């Protein structure tokens, strides 16, 4: 049996890691607390941009530091709402059908995302995915420390986690599929037998063309995918 | 006395000019070589619109179209895709002409619920511009994209089971078409293989139905795809069974059209002619074209041929019950294409042009070179093959290792990963087809991009199966690499003289050589 490994942001949904985080920060216990967190997050924007330019993992770490002090319950309770209000409306029209087709072929479908595991589990349920590999916040005494538990799911680490998942579940990587929109996921795409670029950013599109990887889009049939500047940057 | 389209070369004959992809090459063929040319274009209909109206009102074996209409009914019109004709014809395309009159008639009879489907089967989806070219601006603007769509054979909610034939062939078709009150099919019959039951039963079906006949076993049992009777073609027999079942379940009204073979317009009109009959000016123009194509880059060469739409003329239109209509269509087709030829040849020489039904607006990749050679070219006969069993086919083509990365995405993996494993069609079918054809990534590219379905490269290989089983060898002249011909199982020669010398080693010092001078289309009626 084979497995399909799906990146999420920009691949299955048109949002990125920033949108759910903003939703969380806007919906803390009190408006004042939200305002404070949002203000601090805004101050960190230049740092996030620099981090993204250097390394996707660094970006994730800076972004999730905004969660510092948020309670575990709050993260869990709000995750369903984040899914309903941010993730679900942003899902690409053909995402569910593609996942369903993979399942129909008897494949395991694994979500591999830098987003929070609490939110990704809702997405996995909705899509019919079988496993989730996503980031976990570190909690101390029930409150987020602002750090991510190791391993941080991003960039080349995704490739290692996919390899480990395949080994654990008895999948031959040559038979497996991987889907992503981002050049930062080239390590993950490169280790499977059937990589595919989905709504790819230009750099990945070029690479996919060179290697003859399938380039597909999950938008509606007669509309090509469009990415805003923010989407292209954070995708 | 032989037919005027069959010419025997002598010492004074000019070199023959053959296509080699998007280039032209001049080759010297030995005296005594028989050269078969396409027939001159048949006269086109003087008033095609009047002919269409007449056909709709005087159908074959059916009541007139207007008698089938009633207000409030749901009508689906299916039309042929861009694989026909080749190259795309000058506007108005015959589809636009027929649709304009049919839609007018539907409107006059209070039929408002009308949907149009491009019957692509597992071909790539046509782009908006291509659809507009085929149906015209007015219809496109009124119907696209909500009521004028490409067929989607992989839409999990878009297909409907119709039945299973007595031979166990599944018939599953486009749900919108199946659930309509009336299905009108507007066809453009380029070659005899097109049309008839193939229009609905293949054009609107999916992988489950195609598997019944698009397989090596059935293709091996075909004795000319261009003589599509159940007796001569197992493919035609299977499609006929599916079509008859379809027509029992659905209310189908068939409209078929034929065109002449006026493929090249000015300034390329001289490409239709026998090289010995060219005027001085035409000879100079031919030489200039040959030299120009040698010097310009590939994209420019393709543009030279693609920018000039073909000035095809409509030669016939027939409407009514599918089989009666198709009989009339086939007669017209053979009237245009069939050239009587006496006896088979040891060696057949032909150029492979830049276009096939599967690369409109893209590059003729190596797998399609194979389809043109062992599929179409070999099958351009009626009666018996033009080439003797075990004979030599010599083709001119560069066989460049190049693919359109979108249209032919699954072809790349097929050619570079599967063909090096095996060229045996039965083995490919058994070991790889199903897994490849259900690849979710390729299927998504077919559904939302403009890629051929992943089953299609297999079908392209099977398409050459009858030819592969019959031919002794295929020699490519002018290949720009050794790798692709080797993968395809072809030998290579640098020049035509070298290729002929290789053929003589197999067939003796004086083989019977025939040159099939295409395009335009010619079908050898071999006795």
């Amino acid at each position: 049996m084979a497995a399909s490994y799906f990146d999420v942001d920009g691949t299955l949904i048109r949002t990125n890691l920033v949108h759910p985080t903003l939703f969380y920060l806007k919906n803390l216990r009190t408006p004042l607390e939200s305002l404070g967190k949002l203000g601090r997050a805004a101050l960190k924007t230049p740092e996030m941009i620099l981090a993204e330019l250097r390394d996707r993992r660094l970006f994730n770490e800076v972004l999730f530091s905004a969660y510092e002090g948020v309670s575990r319950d709050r993260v869990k309770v709000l995750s369903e709402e984040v899914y309903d209000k941010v993730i679900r409306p942003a899902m690409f029209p053909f995402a569910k059908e593609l996942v369903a087709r993979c399942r129909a072929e008897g494949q395991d479908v694994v979500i591999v995302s830098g987003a929070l595991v609490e939110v990704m589990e809702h997405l996995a349920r909705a899509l019919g995915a079988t496993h989730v590999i996503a980031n976990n916040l570190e909690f101390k005494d029930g409150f987020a420390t602002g750090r991510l538990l190791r391993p941080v799911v991003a960039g080349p680490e995704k490739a290692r986690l996919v390899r480990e998942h395949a080994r654990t579940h008895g999948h031959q990587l040559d038979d497996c599929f991987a889907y992503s929109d981002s050049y930062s996921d080239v390590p993950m795409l490169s280790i499977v037998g059937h990589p595919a670029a989905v709504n790819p950013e230009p750099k990945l599109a070029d690479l996919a063309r060179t290697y003859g990887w399938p380039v597909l889009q999950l938008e509606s049939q007669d509309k090509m995918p469009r990415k805003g500047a923010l989407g292209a940057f954070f995708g | 006395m032989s037919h005027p389209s069959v010419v025997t070369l002598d010492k004074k004959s000019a070199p023959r000019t053959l296509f080699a992809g998007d280039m032209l090459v001049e080759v010297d063929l030995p005296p005594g070589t028989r050269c078969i040319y396409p027939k001159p274009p048949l006269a086109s209909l003087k008033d095609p619109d009047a002919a269409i109206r007449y056909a709709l009102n005087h159908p074959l074996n059916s009541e007139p179209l207007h008698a089938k209409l009633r207000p409030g009914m749901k009508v689906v019109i299916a039309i042929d895709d861009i694989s026909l004709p080749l190259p795309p014809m000058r506007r108005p395309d015959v589809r636009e002409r027929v649709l304009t009159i049919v839609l007018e008639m539907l409107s006059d009879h209070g039929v408002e619920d009308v949907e149009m489907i491009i019957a692509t089967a597992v071909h790539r989806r046509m782009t908006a511009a291509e659809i507009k070219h085929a149906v015209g601006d007015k219809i496109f603007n009124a119907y696209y994209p909500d009521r004028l769509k490409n067929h989607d054979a992989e839409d999990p909610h878009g297909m409907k089971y119709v039945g299973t034939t007595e031979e166990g062939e599944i018939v599953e078709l486009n749900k919108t078409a199946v659930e309509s009150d009336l299905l009108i099919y507007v066809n453009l019959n380029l070659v005899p293989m097109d049309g008839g039951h193939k229009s609905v039963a293949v054009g609107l079906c999916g992988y489950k139905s195609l598997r019944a006949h698009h397989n090596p076993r059935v293709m091996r049992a075909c004795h000319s795809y261009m003589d599509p009777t159940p007796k001569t073609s197992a493919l035609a027999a299977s499609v006929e069974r599916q079509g008859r079942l379809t027509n029992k379940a659905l209310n189908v009204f068939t409209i078929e059209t034929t065109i002449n073979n006026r493929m090249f317009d000015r300034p390329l009109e001289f490409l239709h002619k026998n090289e010995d009959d060219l005027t001085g000016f035409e000879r100079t123009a031919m030489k200039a074209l040959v030299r120009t194509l040698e010097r310009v880059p590939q994209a420019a060469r393709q543009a030279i041929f693609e920018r000039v739409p073909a000035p095809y003329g409509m030669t016939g239109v027939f409407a009514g019950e599918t089989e009666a209509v198709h009989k009339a269509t086939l007669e017209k087709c053979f009237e245009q294409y069939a050239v009587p030829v006496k006896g088979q040849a040891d060696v057949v020489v032909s150029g492979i042009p830049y276009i096939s039904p599967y690369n409109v607006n893209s590059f003729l990749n190596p797998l399609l070179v194979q389809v043109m050679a062992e599929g179409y070219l070999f099958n351009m006969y009626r009666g018996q093959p033009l080439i003797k069993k075990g004979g030599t086919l010599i083709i001119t083509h560069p066989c460049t290792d190049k693919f359109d990365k979108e249209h032919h995405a699954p072809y790349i993996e097929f050619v570079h990963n599967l063909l090096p494993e095996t060229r045996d069609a039965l083995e490919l079918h058994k070991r790889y087809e199903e897994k490849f054809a259900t690849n979710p990534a390729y299927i998504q590219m077919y559904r939302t991009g403009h890629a051929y379905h992943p089953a299609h490269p297999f079908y392209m290989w099977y398409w050459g199966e009858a030819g592969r089983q019959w031919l002794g060898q295929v020699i490519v002249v002018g290949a720009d690499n050794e790798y692709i011909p080797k993968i395809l199982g072809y030998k290579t020669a640098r020049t035509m003289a070298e290729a002929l010398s290789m053929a003589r080693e197999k067939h003796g010092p004086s083989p019977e050589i025939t040159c099939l001078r295409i395009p335009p289309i010619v079908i050898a009626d071999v006795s």
Side-chain angles (χ1 to χ4, degrees):
Chain A
M1 194 168 78
S4 277
Y5 297 93
F6 281 91
D7 167 57
V8 173
D9 296 324
T11 304
L12 294 172
I13 59 175
R14 64 171 67 79
T15 60
N16 52 59
L17 292 177
V18 177
H19 296 125
T21 306
L22 287 177
F23 186 91
Y24 263 115
L25 300 185
K26 277 196 298 187
N27 291 280
L28 294 177
R29 281 176 307 170
T30 64
L32 201 64
E33 195 182 343
S34 287
L35 207 61
K37 286 278 182 204
L38 285 167
R40 274 196 288 280
L43 287 174
K44 282 187 178 173
T45 305
E47 193 185 343
M48 277 193 266
I49 292 172
L50 283 175
E52 167 68 10
L53 289 173
R54 278 184 60 198
D55 181 0
R56 175 57 62 90
R57 177 175 165 274
L58 271 180
F59 169 78
N60 283 4
E61 295 203 285
V62 177
L63 178 74
F64 288 112
S65 67
Y67 284 83
E68 186 181 353
V70 179
S71 72
R72 187 194 292 269
D73 290 348
R74 195 98 198 135
V75 170
K76 199 141 186 98
V77 166
L78 277 180
S79 65
E80 195 170 349
E81 216 172 322
V82 170
Y83 171 72
D84 268 346
K85 295 197 171 154
V86 181
I87 307 289
R88 194 164 53 84
M91 210 185 291
F92 286 125
F94 283 87
K96 207 164 178 173
E97 281 185 24
L98 177 57
V99 171
R101 197 171 286 278
C102 298
R103 292 290 297 134
E105 292 306 314
Q107 298 174 4
D108 272 349
V109 171
V110 187
I111 299 281
V112 187
S113 171
L116 289 183
V117 71
E118 288 83 353
V119 179
M120 289 300 100
E121 276 171 354
H122 291 293
L123 177 68
R125 262 195 299 279
L127 288 174
T130 49
H131 301 86
V132 174
I133 298 172
N135 274 320
N136 288 279
L137 288 171
E138 182 189 70
F139 290 97
K140 199 170 181 188
D141 302 328
F143 290 92
T145 62
R147 286 191 292 269
L148 288 171
L149 288 180
R150 294 313 185 239
V152 175
V153 184
E157 186 62 21
K158 277 187 176 180
R160 194 192 64 77
L161 291 166
V162 164
R163 202 186 287 275
E164 194 176 286
H165 180 276
R167 195 170 42 238
T168 312
H169 292 83
H171 303 309
Q172 293 296 319
L173 280 171
D174 270 357
D175 298 331
C176 290
F177 291 71
Y179 300 83
S180 178
D181 71 312
S182 171
Y183 190 77
S184 67
D185 285 333
V186 168
M188 174 178 93
L189 293 169
S190 303
I191 60 166
V192 296
H194 302 280
V198 185
N199 315 323
E201 58 186 43
K203 219 169 151 187
L204 179 61
D206 285 347
L207 189 86
R209 269 195 292 274
T210 304
Y211 287 105
W213 294 352
V215 177
L216 46 118
Q217 53 134 328
L218 299 178
E219 281 280 18
S220 59
Q221 285 181 321
D222 289 297
K223 197 174 144 205
M224 289 305 286
R226 297 272 183 272
K227 268 191 171 185
L230 189 71
F233 185 75
F234 289 113
Chain B
M1 192 182 151
S2 66
H3 190 273
S5 295
V6 182
V7 177
T8 303
L9 304 186
D10 57 32
K11 282 181 184 170
K12 290 179 189 166
S13 297
R16 301 298 105 174
T17 308
L18 304 180
F19 271 93
D22 46 27
M23 289 197 283
L24 290 165
V25 291
E26 290 180 315
V27 296
D28 285 314
L29 296 172
T33 298
R34 184 174 58 171
C35 225
I36 305 171
Y37 284 85
K39 279 181 177 173
L42 295 178
S44 43
L45 295 168
K46 280 189 181 142
D47 188 342
D49 293 345
I52 295 165
R53 285 199 178 87
Y54 182 87
L56 299 180
N57 293 325
H58 301 83
L60 305 169
N61 206 12
S62 161
E63 54 187 343
L65 179 59
H66 63 78
K68 287 177 169 278
L69 306 177
R70 58 175 196 279
M73 74 190 303
K74 177 168 184 66
V75 172
V76 168
I77 307 174
I79 61 175
D80 275 336
D81 75 354
I82 199 171
S83 59
L84 307 162
L86 295 173
M89 70 188 291
R90 189 192 285 167
R91 291 174 80 170
D93 187 287
V94 292
R95 283 164 282 220
E96 177 181 349
R97 285 185 183 280
V98 174
L99 286 173
T100 303
I101 292 166
V102 167
L103 290 169
E104 198 180 279
M105 195 178 274
L106 296 181
S107 170
D108 289 347
H109 288 78
V111 179
E112 288 170 355
D113 190 355
V114 180
E115 206 165 311
M116 279 176 268
I117 303 168
I118 319 279
T120 49
V122 292
H123 290 180
R124 72 171 173 88
R125 295 183 326 114
M126 283 171 71
T127 65
E130 289 165 345
I131 296 173
K132 192 187 252 188
H133 182 92
V135 304
D137 293 12
K138 204 173 155 192
I139 294 171
F140 180 84
N141 293 337
Y143 288 88
Y144 184 84
D146 298 331
R147 293 191 295 154
L148 170 55
K149 296 172 181 168
N150 286 291
H151 169 61
D152 179 357
E154 290 290 346
D155 180 354
H157 314 294
M159 300 293 286
K160 191 164 180 174
Y161 174 74
V162 176
T164 303
T165 69
E166 66 274 17
E167 296 287 326
E169 296 134 328
I170 292 170
V171 180
E172 189 188 57
L173 299 173
N174 185 292
K175 191 178 173 190
T176 310
V178 174
E179 292 180 348
S180 67
D181 298 311
L182 173 63
L183 173 62
I184 301 171
Y185 197 98
V186 178
N187 137 291
L188 196 164
N189 226 90
L190 185 66
V191 290
M193 195 181 72
D194 308 326
H197 284 300
K198 184 169 174 279
S199 293
V200 172
V202 173
L204 295 174
C205 82
Y207 183 53
K208 277 185 201 164
S209 299
L210 285 169
R211 293 176 74 168
H213 36 71
H214 280 50
N215 63 59
R217 183 182 48 82
V218 168
M219 300 317 278
R220 281 182 182 184
C222 288
H223 305 290
S224 185
Y225 307 154
M226 296 302 161
D227 186 11
T229 62
K231 272 188 189 169
T232 52
S233 163
L235 171 67
S238 178
V239 172
E240 186 178 282
R241 285 190 292 273
Q242 290 182 328
R244 284 183 174 171
L245 190 149
T246 302
N247 284 15
K248 268 186 197 166
L250 275 68
N251 183 15
V252 178
F253 187 83
T254 300
I255 305 168
E256 294 196 342
T257 59
T258 54
I259 54 175
N260 60 22
N261 63 6
R262 195 178 294 283
M263 185 173 168
F264 298 108
D265 203 356
R266 281 183 213 161
L268 303 176
E269 220 173 358
F270 54 80
L271 290 171
H272 287 120
K273 291 176 78 174
N274 177 343
E275 290 79 349
D276 289 321
D277 296 340
L278 296 176
T279 63
F281 177 75
E282 287 171 333
R283 204 167 294 131
T284 309
M286 178 77 97
K287 287 224 177 283
L289 180 62
V290 172
R291 303 289 169 258
T292 306
L293 293 171
E294 275 171 6
R295 284 166 175 74
V296 299
Q298 193 277 322
R301 293 200 297 269
Q302 192 143 349
I304 287 171
F305 291 112
E306 281 182 356
R307 289 288 158 84
V308 187
Y312 288 121
M314 192 169 160
T315 56
V317 51
F318 312 96
E321 182 267 322
T322 308
E323 289 183 22
V325 167
H326 197 52
K327 194 166 170 246
T329 302
L330 285 182
E331 275 175 28
K332 205 73 195 171
C333 256
F334 283 119
E335 188 185 335
Q336 173 63 83
Y337 301 132
V339 171
V341 176
K342 281 182 194 155
Q344 295 170 297
D346 296 304
V347 181
V348 168
V349 177
S350 192
I352 301 291
Y354 59 96
I355 196 165
S356 79
Y358 317 109
N359 74 305
V360 177
N361 296 326
S362 65
F363 187 76
L364 188 95
N365 64 53
L367 188 54
L368 294 178
V369 172
Q370 175 267 163
V371 167
M372 290 301 283
E374 289 161 304
Y376 283 88
L377 195 60
F378 170 75
N379 280 281
M380 285 295 176
Y381 72 87
R382 189 163 66 164
Q384 50 183 327
L386 181 58
I387 196 162
K388 287 178 188 168
K389 174 88 177 159
T392 297
L393 177 64
I394 300 176
I395 57 170
T396 51
H397 198 276
C399 290
T400 309
D401 184 9
K402 182 178 167 182
F403 296 79
D404 185 296
K405 297 284 169 72
E406 187 188 6
H407 294 184
H408 300 123
Y411 282 49
I412 304 170
E413 190 180 342
F414 180 87
V415 169
H416 287 296
N417 287 358
L418 301 192
L419 283 185
E421 294 289 321
T422 177
R423 284 194 297 271
D424 183 335
L426 289 169
E427 195 69 9
L428 286 162
H429 179 64
K430 200 169 84 184
R431 276 172 61 192
Y432 300 109
E433 185 195 293
E434 193 169 351
K435 202 169 176 192
F436 203 92
T438 52
N439 179 315
Y442 288 136
I443 286 184
Q444 199 59 44
M445 285 190 83
Y446 157 79
R447 294 196 62 205
T448 50
H450 294 283
Y452 278 83
H453 189 284
H456 203 258
F458 286 84
Y459 298 163
M460 294 297 89
W461 190 252
Y462 306 158
W463 224 239
E465 191 58 15
R468 257 191 308 277
Q469 297 300 312
W470 185 269
L471 296 168
Q473 60 180 352
V474 178
I475 304 172
V476 191
V477 176
D480 63 16
N481 68 93
E482 292 289 317
Y483 172 66
I484 289 294
K486 204 165 190 173
I487 281 185
L488 299 175
Y490 298 168
K491 293 176 180 169
T492 52
R494 281 162 294 183
T495 62
M496 184 58 73
E498 190 181 328
L500 289 170
S501 158
M502 288 161 74
R504 283 190 193 100
E505 281 171 24
K506 187 175 172 69
H507 304 290
S510 309
E512 288 163 17
I513 305 170
T514 295
C515 173
L516 194 64
R517 176 63 158 66
I518 57 156
I521 295 164
V522 53
I523 294 174
D525 214 345
V526 185
S527 59

